[in-house]
Amino acid sequence: MNIITLKKTGHDFIKVGRFCIAETPCTTRYNNDLVTELSIELQLANKHYKEIGSSAYLITVDGDPVYASSYSNHLGRSLLVWGNYTIPEQELRILLALKAGKEVDFYLARSVFANLNGRSINVSTSIEQDIIQFEGLSWNKAADPYNPPSKTTVSDVEDYLMDKPLT
């Protein structure tokens, strides 16, 4: 089993597949008028990985982590459609890496659950945000961890709001 542990955040990911250029491109329609040709596919090590529920995922190029994200629902419905043809946000970058002869692998988070108030909660999106903010992966847009956006939660603006009349 191939496992990657990210250096700064410590999140573990297990390799479940590899991207490849599709032998037969898949042509699809979007809103009945835009035709899209998908030219990469994800070869999963086991077809049952399609059934894995909400998770964070990692894409590597020649073993180096380059992109982290998350999906909801399950892998087969969220990232894989029409068999193993993929529509990830990074399809063009994956295709260019493959055409350059690089190996592009797909990993899923080893654990996406945390205990909160005695319940097990899926924190895939939190894992994604932690990685984006602190790992500095080249395909992700990173926020500056030392200058987070101001007034991002109700508690950030609570005192300010208490002094303002309702409008």
Side-chain angles (χ1 to χ4, degrees):
M1 191 173 297
N2 205 345
I3 297 175
I4 285 183
T5 301
L6 295 178
K7 294 175 186 171
K8 295 178 183 173
T9 59
H11 298 294
D12 291 328
F13 289 81
I14 298 171
K15 182 178 171 183
V16 298
R18 174 167 284 162
F19 289 98
C20 64
I21 296 175
E23 290 181 25
T24 306
C26 177
T27 303
T28 62
R29 290 193 164 277
Y30 179 73
N31 288 338
N32 290 326
D33 50 25
L34 176 65
V35 177
T36 304
E37 187 175 90
L38 305 175
S39 56
I40 63 171
E41 60 182 316
L42 177 58
Q43 296 294 319
L44 294 173
N46 186 311
K47 67 180 181 177
H48 297 292
Y49 286 134
K50 284 185 180 183
E51 300 165 12
I52 292 176
S54 300
S55 187
Y57 67 92
L58 183 70
I59 295 175
T60 65
V61 174
D62 286 344
D64 295 323
V66 294
Y67 183 72
S69 192
S70 61
Y71 65 86
S72 57
N73 208 316
H74 60 80
L75 181 60
R77 178 173 280 171
S78 299
L79 293 179
L80 299 177
V81 291
W82 306 290
N84 284 343
Y85 289 90
T86 61
I87 312 180
E89 297 173 5
Q90 300 297 332
E91 183 179 282
L92 180 58
R93 285 181 166 154
I94 293 169
L95 183 60
L96 292 174
L98 291 171
K99 286 185 174 182
K102 299 177 184 273
E103 289 184 357
V104 183
D105 295 319
F106 183 79
Y107 290 74
L108 289 177
R110 191 170 192 186
S111 175
V112 294
F113 292 96
N115 286 322
L116 180 65
N117 296 328
R119 292 183 298 278
S120 186
I121 305 293
N122 188 310
V123 293
S124 300
T125 303
S126 296
I127 292 170
E128 171 193 6
Q129 292 304 309
D130 189 34
I131 293 168
I132 289 171
Q133 199 163 25
F134 294 103
E135 290 290 341
L137 301 182
S138 61
W139 291 5
N140 283 107
K141 293 180 183 175
D144 183 349
Y146 304 107
N147 293 308
S150 62
K151 298 188 180 7
T152 57
T153 68
V154 170
S155 61
D156 291 335
V157 296
E158 198 166 35
D159 292 336
Y160 172 78
L161 293 176
M162 296 306 262
D163 296 333
K164 303 295 179 192
L166 292 175
T167 57

